[in-house]
Amino acid sequence: MRKTIHVIESISEWTGKIFMWSMLILVVLLCHEVFMRYILDNPTIYSYEISTMLGVIIGTGALAYTHLRHGHVRVDVIWRNLSPKGQAIADAVGSLVFFWPLMLLLVWTSFDWVIYSYSVHEISQESYLYPIVWPVRAVMLLGFILIIPQDVIKFIRSIYLIRGKKLS
Amino acid sequence: MIEISPQLVTILMLGGLMVTILTGFPIALPIGFVALVVGYLVFGPPVLDVIYTQIYGILHNYLLLALPLFVFMGVTLEYSGIADKMYDALFLLLGGLRGGLAIITVVMGTVIAACVGVMSASVTLVTTLALPSMIKRGYDKKLAAGAVAGGGTLGILIPPSVMLVVYGPMARLSVGKLFMGAFVPGLVLCGLYCTYIFIRCLFQPNLAPIVPAGERAVPFIHKMRLFLTSLLPPTFIILAVLGTIFAGIAPPTEAAAVGAAAALILTAAYRRLNWQNLRNIMLRSINITCMAYFIAAMSVGYTGVFLRSGAGEVVQQLVLATPGGRWGAFAVIMFIYFILGFFIEWIGIFFIMVPLLAPLAPVLGFDPVWFGLMICINLQMSFLTPPYAFTIFVMRAAAPAELGVETGDIIRGIVPYVLLIMMCLGLCIAFPQLILWLPSMMIK
């Protein structure tokens, strides 16, 4: 059990460590574009599309990392005033009711879209770059998939807390 | 799939949202859950594709990329240590004034917090930096806490403000125009805060002891050097970012990228750009970005279901039917935002409410830019209004325990600032030009 938890939390940690680079890449890419367009007067054709693709990657890639770090904000008007046990109960119920059904269905839908996009060779037509779309959709799917085990771990931790046991 | 009237959908979706988010589960999920359940009742299984397309669309939005970029810039500036340097410089400049430290706090909030953008981060920054220094020198706790709260929240309005970066695309307005529109009200607020502190300390000098001259005696050369290295760079960054937008040279997304790069260069110049810091900067900004994008994604899924089922029109007609004409409707909209600001992080409020309510501005005969900024100023007031003010909780968490600042002190200190924001709102209603003048000067 402990080992599984450790493995999953390491994976979540790594989603942050990997996808954090997309932030820096975005900054460099857009600065490069600014330089090319306004100083050399020679705008690139790839910068616009690639930056929007990076937007998808930045926005979903590290969802599991944010969840691991308790980064997803809550409306804690009531939650804050509960006992640790009460908070754990609220979180466990939340996982069962809100989290898993929604995320599993989203994973399923995202998967269909990736397959569809791949099979029809979907191409983005917002610029003259015409890039294929499925890899970006696949990263989004990956982000949605990886946050689920992280929430299962949180659920298990809540259950342990409710039953008054300790889990290192 | 069953036949449900748009009225019932409206009640189910708004009521469901209120109930589910109060459970305290990370808000993105209850929002998505309500969209899924009600959407399934109305549309059947295709609701999943509706939600998915909406999510992909918002993540794919070029204008919204300014959000992660400004977050990155803000986090970088936090790690650059500029805030400490700036505080030292302002300390030497204004420490001799009665109430000077409180005024410094507000000025710090205006300049530095403006770059940080994320409100809880900027309030934390100002609290840890300015509060201990005031309390240790014998400032009145209420006065000190009020200045921190007022100054720390000012940052979300003053450009480059992340809040406006989100409002723009949601309301289909130019972010550049919103930035320019926010400038004058932001400075008016800063001016009102400083004037209030100055006058209050003039009449009650015991609230704010003057910093002893010995602490401020520093050689002139050293002083000049501190000013040049601390006050000029952030001013330069902000002006460079805003200038390019104002002059119509670059869109906000590109300006934000340049600002982020400039912040990295500044950090390097201060010799703070090591691997450890760079890694933390990237990790913190991706953490904040994923939080914001997750809420954004679920919220646009929610509005997608809401608007497609016809509930949007129900809400709009309800607001338009308010007695008291356009100002009655305006008051209702303001009130809705004000109350929501108590409970929900502004990101959630904007992604859900702006697509519903922003189209009403032209219908009611208001300028959309003016309307948007009134909402932002109003939300700032909401974040400060006791007892559910977001700012109070953030300050409580960030204030070192040994200072002995109680929630009561914070609340009593904040009240005057709420009144000052009301005054600012009144001024903007009486003189819309305060907001509209600068945007009208922009080169398009």
Side-chain angles (χ1 to χ4, degrees):
Chain A
M1 183 56 132
R2 239 165 239 179
K3 203 168 174 199
T4 325
I5 289 177
H6 179 73
V7 169
I8 290 173
E9 291 193 333
S10 314
I11 293 173
S12 300
E13 181 80 37
W14 273 101
T15 61
K17 284 184 186 164
I18 291 168
F19 287 106
M20 71 180 188
W21 291 101
S22 52
M23 297 290 306
L24 199 61
I25 296 171
L26 180 67
V27 173
V28 172
L29 175 76
L30 285 174
C31 286
H32 169 71
E33 164 70 10
V34 167
F35 182 77
M36 292 297 282
R37 180 166 351 140
Y38 300 107
I39 296 176
L40 301 185
D41 202 17
N42 181 21
T44 63
I45 58 160
Y46 51 81
S47 136
Y48 177 81
E49 291 254 29
I50 295 189
S51 56
T52 55
M53 288 177 161
L54 275 170
V56 180
I57 295 169
I58 286 173
T60 50
L63 281 175
Y65 174 79
T66 306
H67 205 35
L68 174 75
R69 290 268 171 272
H70 310 279
H72 293 297
V73 292
R74 307 165 175 273
V75 173
D76 56 0
V77 183
I78 297 170
W79 191 83
R80 183 178 42 222
N81 298 314
L82 299 175
S83 66
K85 201 168 167 179
Q87 293 181 346
I89 294 173
D91 281 356
V93 174
S95 288
L96 283 174
V97 178
F98 303 137
F99 198 110
W100 299 346
L102 175 68
M103 289 318 288
L104 286 171
L105 284 169
L106 268 181
V107 165
W108 180 43
T109 313
S110 310
F111 184 73
D112 281 354
W113 276 85
V114 174
I115 297 296
Y116 170 77
S117 177
Y118 179 79
S119 63
V120 303
H121 201 72
E122 185 191 2
I123 278 169
S124 171
Q125 298 180 336
E126 285 176 38
S127 68
Y128 292 111
L129 185 65
Y130 302 124
I132 44 167
V133 176
W134 72 263
V136 179
R137 293 196 189 271
V139 173
M140 188 170 155
L141 170 65
L142 184 73
F144 286 160
I145 291 177
L146 287 174
I147 193 177
I148 295 175
Q150 181 55 44
D151 194 70
V152 173
I153 298 300
K154 288 211 162 188
F155 178 77
I156 294 171
R157 285 187 186 279
S158 300
I159 295 295
Y160 268 82
L161 215 155
I162 293 166
R163 291 171 61 194
K165 286 186 191 169
K166 271 211 159 173
L167 190 69
S168 63
Chain B
M1 235 196 321
I2 40 174
E3 278 301 311
I4 308 183
S5 69
Q7 283 79 8
L8 188 58
V9 174
T10 313
I11 295 169
L12 281 177
M13 285 198 81
L14 293 179
L17 185 67
M18 271 299 148
V19 173
T20 51
I21 60 172
L22 283 177
T23 58
F25 205 69
I27 62 170
L29 294 143
I31 294 173
F33 172 79
V34 172
L36 182 71
V37 172
V38 180
Y40 191 84
L41 289 176
V42 181
F43 303 112
V47 72
L48 284 167
D49 289 319
V50 173
I51 295 176
Y52 179 86
T53 342
Q54 288 279 98
I55 293 179
Y56 188 76
I58 196 74
L59 293 170
H60 206 263
N61 187 318
Y62 182 74
L63 289 172
L64 203 63
L65 276 179
L67 169 76
L69 289 166
F70 276 129
V71 166
F72 186 88
M73 175 176 125
V75 175
T76 310
L77 284 176
E78 233 177 285
Y79 275 88
S80 73
I82 180 78
D84 306 81
K85 275 184 188 271
M86 217 170 123
Y87 191 83
D88 293 342
L90 287 170
F91 183 83
L92 294 179
L93 192 68
L94 294 171
L97 197 68
R98 196 166 281 286
L101 291 185
I103 292 177
I104 294 173
T105 310
V106 172
V107 175
M108 282 281 302
T110 313
V111 184
I112 275 295
C115 309
V116 176
V118 179
M119 194 178 53
S120 52
S122 73
V123 174
T124 307
L125 185 72
V126 178
T127 308
T128 47
L129 199 69
L131 193 63
S133 140
M134 279 190 280
I135 304 282
K136 276 177 199 151
R137 292 193 174 77
Y139 268 57
D140 178 61
K141 280 177 193 163
K142 294 187 280 293
L143 183 80
V148 168
T153 44
L154 202 50
I156 55 167
L157 180 67
I158 297 204
S161 138
V162 183
M163 192 149 108
L164 297 172
V165 165
V166 174
Y167 191 89
M170 284 295 107
R172 296 174 195 282
L173 289 174
S174 143
V175 174
K177 284 203 166 158
L178 287 170
F179 273 6
M180 293 312 138
F183 233 108
V184 176
L187 292 181
V188 166
L189 274 176
C190 176
L192 283 174
Y193 291 175
C194 291
T195 317
Y196 158 75
I197 294 170
F198 185 74
I199 293 177
R200 180 102 196 264
C201 295
L202 211 62
F203 286 102
Q204 295 171 287
N206 57 326
L207 291 182
I210 293 178
V211 176
E215 280 189 58
R216 289 179 278 116
V218 173
F220 180 73
I221 298 286
H222 181 81
K223 243 185 202 176
M224 282 315 290
R225 203 171 144 226
L226 195 59
F227 286 141
L228 287 179
T229 56
S230 70
L231 292 179
L232 282 184
T235 319
F236 178 74
I237 292 181
I238 294 179
L239 288 182
V241 169
L242 295 179
T244 42
I245 300 173
F246 185 74
I249 298 173
T253 309
E254 288 173 5
V258 173
L264 277 176
I265 293 170
L266 183 71
T267 315
Y270 285 162
R271 298 176 205 288
R272 293 278 192 100
L273 194 65
N274 48 29
W275 163 238
Q276 188 70 31
N277 278 353
L278 181 65
R279 184 169 158 274
N280 285 337
I281 289 169
M282 289 191 287
L283 275 176
R284 279 227 10 230
S285 34
I286 194 113
N287 189 351
I288 296 170
T289 306
C290 273
M291 177 273 286
Y293 268 45
F294 201 32
I295 298 174
M298 293 308 170
S299 304
V300 293
Y302 180 93
T303 42
V305 171
F306 200 83
L307 294 177
R308 270 180 185 75
S309 64
E313 278 123 65
V314 174
V315 170
Q316 292 177 358
Q317 274 160 15
L318 216 63
V319 173
L320 289 178
T322 324
R326 62 199 282 248
W327 289 105
F330 176 76
V332 168
I333 294 173
M334 285 296 175
F335 186 71
I336 294 173
Y337 277 107
F338 183 71
I339 296 297
L340 288 176
F342 285 172
F343 304 107
I344 313 178
E345 172 91 334
W346 62 265
I347 299 173
I349 302 178
F350 272 15
F351 280 102
I352 293 179
M353 298 312 286
V354 174
L356 287 183
L357 296 178
L360 291 176
V363 179
L364 293 167
F366 294 115
D367 185 284
V369 172
W370 178 84
F371 190 78
L373 282 164
M374 291 302 278
I375 288 168
C376 293
I377 301 171
N378 176 27
L379 269 180
Q380 200 182 339
M381 180 164 77
S382 167
F383 298 146
L384 282 173
T385 306
Y388 281 128
F390 195 72
T391 318
I392 298 175
F393 298 120
V394 177
M395 273 184 72
R396 265 289 299 281
E402 72 267 16
L403 297 181
V405 178
E406 303 290 331
T407 312
D409 295 326
I410 303 179
I411 290 178
R412 256 165 291 166
I414 276 180
V415 171
Y417 291 84
V418 176
L419 298 176
L420 289 172
I421 299 180
M422 274 185 196
M423 202 194 247
C424 178
L425 281 171
L427 280 173
C428 291
I429 290 173
F431 309 103
Q433 286 309 313
L434 282 176
I435 291 175
L436 295 174
W437 176 70
L438 254 182
S440 70
M441 302 293 289
M442 272 175 81
I443 303 159
K444 192 59 211 164

